[in-house]
Every structure is written in structure tokens, then in C-alpha cells.
Amino acid sequence: MVNQHYNQIWQTVCAIPKGKVASYGQIADLAGLPGRARLVGKSLGYIPKDMFVPWYRVIRSSGQLAFSAGSDQALHQTGMLQEENVVVFRNRVKLRVFQWQPTLDEMLWKLNG
DNA sequence: GCCGTGACGACGG
DNA sequence: TCCGTCGCCACGG
């Protein structure tokens, strides 16, 4: 039994295209939960093991990875991103280059799904 | 109900 | 750019 908000958040994270990243706040907004970036972070820790959700494409609004530099988790996330050709330098990603900018179509599609 | 705790964010120095 | 501060909100003790 999981909070309904978590499902909305997971769905939204799944909409981030491969090779792009989005911020916690951005996901919260798109999920219809403005101002609840921290809830997004929480929910990513509760992703069911049998469900694929590209959690590693979610980073801070500053471009920094959420995990501290050098930690196992940060290294894992870095590896996953680099497999998608997202450049991670000094534990951060250049948002100018890799941040997902949803088109109107993508946002409307989410409403239907 | 109060309080501390987060995979956060905006802002100012 | 790198910090500290404050606001934020869901949870658990």
C-alpha cells in the first residue's frame, strides 16, 4: 500500500526521455504537486524493485547529483547517466545541455495516460 | 500535537 | 561558485 502521490511521481519520472535529466522540483510540478520537491526525493527511495523507474535522471535544480560526490550511489548514478551519453563532471550535469524541456505534446500526453 | 529529519529549492553574501 | 539560512511538506517518534 503506497501513497497515491508516489505513483504520480513515478509516472512522471518515467516520462523523462533517455539522455535527459529533470530536477526534483520540475518533476513535482509536472506531477501536479508544486512545492513538494522533497516528496519526490522520498518517493524515489520507495520505488518497487520490480518496477523500472529512471530515478537516476532526477537531479537537483543546481545540476548537482543528490548523492554526495564519491559515494557508491553517486558513482552508480553517474554510470547510468553516462550510458545514456549524459556527461557528469565533478558530480554535476550541465542543465543548459541535458535538462529535459517537455513540449506541450508531452505534457498533454501525460494527462491522457 | 510538537519536533527532528530529509535523494529539495530560492536567495543573499 | 560555494556556503549558510530559511521555507517547504510528508512522516515517524
Side-chain angles (χ1 to χ4, degrees):
Chain A
M1 192 52 180
V2 185
N3 189 319
Q4 196 58 41
H5 291 167
Y6 288 3
N7 280 305
Q8 298 178 189
I9 292 169
W10 296 333
Q11 290 301 312
T12 306
V13 173
C14 285
I16 307 172
K18 182 185 288 191
K20 290 292 179 182
V21 299
S23 72
Y24 291 88
Q26 186 180 356
I27 294 302
D29 288 345
L30 290 171
L33 303 166
R36 274 168 272 188
R38 304 188 82 129
L39 183 60
V40 173
K42 260 291 206 296
S43 74
L44 295 188
Y46 295 127
I47 297 171
K49 188 161 51 64
D50 57 7
M51 187 187 313
F52 172 73
V53 178
W55 56 270
Y56 53 86
R57 295 181 190 146
V58 185
I59 64 180
R60 292 186 181 169
S61 63
S62 62
Q64 282 278 135
L65 301 194
F67 301 118
S68 55
S71 67
D72 287 347
Q73 306 184 87
L75 294 177
H76 180 218
Q77 184 170 14
T78 297
M80 296 299 285
L81 289 172
Q82 290 182 334
E83 280 188 31
E84 300 184 351
N85 297 315
V86 173
V87 178
V88 181
F89 180 64
R90 288 196 304 183
N91 210 49
R92 89 171 39 193
V93 172
K94 290 198 178 193
L95 294 181
R96 289 291 170 75
V97 180
F98 298 103
Q99 183 169 41
W100 177 38
Q101 324 236 280
T103 63
L104 185 55
D105 278 356
E106 287 172 308
M107 294 196 276
L108 291 176
W109 182 84
K110 211 180 83 60
L111 291 180
N112 298 329

